[in-house]
Amino acid sequence: MTFYADPSFFALLALAVAGAAFLGLREKPLACYGMAASVVFLACLFCKDLPGLIAAAGFVVVAVLSMRWVLAAPRSNLRFAVAFALTLLPLLSAKVGAVFDQNLLGFMGVSYLTFKALQVLFEVRDGVIKECGLFDYLYFLLFFPVFTSGPIDRSRRFAEDAWAVRSRDEYAGLLARGILLVLVGLVYTFVVAAWLHRFYVPATWGSGPFLTELAAQVQTAYVYGLYLFFDFAGYSLMAMGASYCFGIRTPRNFRAPFAALDIKDFWNRWNITLSFWLRDFVFMRFSRLALKKRWFASRLTTACWGFVFDMALMGAWHGLTADYLLYGLFHGLLLAGTEAFQKKSKFYKKYKNNPAFKALSWFVTLQLVMFGFALFSGQITMLVKGAFHG
């Protein structure tokens, strides 16, 4: 079974939501039912993938033991380093293995599961989480609506929702919104994205007039960018909707990203939960360490290098290929340049609220975003290879 793709998934989801509605409308807590449903869905997910099931079960066991070990002595550098390395190992192995077309410790959902497990480790280390029950932690990791495709929730917010006893009217509102989100997500993914994908036909630079060939490449980049948005946003909406039906208000992942006025604004709108996860647990920690160690001459330089490191890691998270790494580096440099321009430029400070400047900034940002998608999809790599072989 493939989540949010196979008809069998949606049939099982309808049955599971009916059970959740039966309990929720009677003002019963949904955590235990949600855990049971998650076990059933994950059993279906891995039913034809025994190696993946073993890898996923092994990861969960290691994550639980690592979290408990660090929780017993949160200030221990050694414990945190070992737990961090063990938790990250499957994801790192899977990414490296993919380069050689090998599956090393990877399984469906490894990326999102790793980010959630690392988040808990970081917050235990920081003293934000002082106790974490086994059931709460397992439910947070295994919650099926977001297991394979996100969005990435936060453990403390998740636990509050999981055990909330909502009034009949409050749950009815969540249920109605959840069903609506699933339906909208279905339209995004299976209607709009599927229609756009029909027009995505990447090709090398032809022998026609320059402007004709350029227009074809721009169209390809735009079609792919729009397809990627509707496909990914559709999955995210369905995951949100399914979560709502189980009483979990999973955060949104997209907020009109193509209306962004600059690249920083874009990453506050695109894949929001991943962007904010990297901001909180990579960028901020890198910046604090760099300032403490005085690696750079100023806070601005520190922030710029932080953006580059943050986005390079984001690119590597997608995959250790030239396309993904260049995509991450491209956005890191754009964020660094935007930060420097906004902090140092008198022109920006004078005209940032001017409607004409905002319109121009939006237009330039959109072109940069679409060029980034051309990197991400491999379109630029194909053009470069075509130029060399042509």
Side-chain angles (χ1 to χ4, degrees), residues 35-118:
M35 174 64 97
S38 294
V39 170
V40 171
F41 273 91
L42 295 181
C44 294
L45 178 68
F46 290 107
C47 66
K48 296 182 180 179
D49 181 18
L50 182 59
L53 175 60
I54 294 172
F59 175 90
V60 170
V61 170
V62 170
V64 169
L65 294 177
S66 297
M67 182 273 292
R68 305 288 291 183
W69 194 44
V70 174
L71 191 61
R75 304 311 301 167
S76 170
N77 293 329
L78 176 62
R79 290 194 180 204
F80 177 76
V82 171
F84 180 88
L86 289 175
T87 303
L88 186 61
L89 179 62
L91 176 59
L92 187 60
S93 299
K95 297 300 180 183
V96 172
V99 177
F100 304 99
D101 199 25
Q102 299 292 323
N103 183 13
L104 303 175
L105 303 180
F107 55 89
M108 289 177 284
V110 62
S111 294
Y112 292 96
L113 208 60
T114 299
F115 272 40
K116 290 196 288 186
L118 288 178

Side-chain angles (χ1 to χ4, degrees), residues 42 48 84 91-92 118 138 173 175 199 240 277 285 341 383 389:
L42 295 181
K48 296 182 180 179
F84 180 88
L91 176 59
L92 187 60
L118 288 178
L138 287 175
L175 179 64
F199 300 97
M240 283 179 63
W277 193 99
R285 291 168 191 277
F341 176 67
L383 289 175
H389 288 91

Side-chain angles (χ1 to χ4, degrees), residues 204-278:
T204 56
W205 195 278
S207 57
F210 175 81
L211 290 179
T212 301
E213 296 298 326
L214 178 62
Q217 295 298 329
V218 171
Q219 175 182 309
T220 298
Y222 265 78
V223 168
Y224 179 79
L226 291 170
Y227 158 75
L228 185 64
F229 166 70
F230 281 103
D231 186 56
F232 192 13
Y235 280 106
S236 296
L237 287 171
M238 286 187 280
M240 283 179 63
S243 300
Y244 273 49
C245 294
F246 283 81
I248 304 294
R249 293 171 297 185
T250 292
R252 66 190 302 179
N253 228 7
F254 294 90
R255 183 171 56 85
F258 299 133
L261 297 181
D262 58 56
I263 292 296
K264 290 168 66 176
D265 188 26
F266 172 76
W267 282 105
N268 286 331
R269 296 167 175 267
W270 176 274
N271 206 351
I272 298 170
T273 59
L274 173 63
S275 177
F276 284 17
W277 193 99
L278 290 169

Side-chain angles (χ1 to χ4, degrees), residues 104-147:
L104 303 175
L105 303 180
F107 55 89
M108 289 177 284
V110 62
S111 294
Y112 292 96
L113 208 60
T114 299
F115 272 40
K116 290 196 288 186
L118 288 178
Q119 175 241 304
V120 174
L121 277 182
F122 277 124
E123 294 194 333
V124 168
R125 165 75 170 177
D126 293 342
V128 176
I129 295 176
K130 298 186 182 299
E131 53 184 62
C132 183
L134 178 61
F135 180 92
D136 288 347
Y137 185 58
L138 287 175
Y139 190 31
F140 173 62
L141 290 182
L142 302 179
F143 186 55
F144 81 89
V146 299
F147 188 86

Side-chain angles (χ1 to χ4, degrees), residues 288-303:
R288 285 200 298 266
L289 181 62
L291 288 171
K292 181 179 179 181
K293 301 293 185 179
R294 298 183 180 179
W295 289 344
F296 307 107
S298 67
R299 287 182 175 272
L300 178 59
T301 305
T302 299

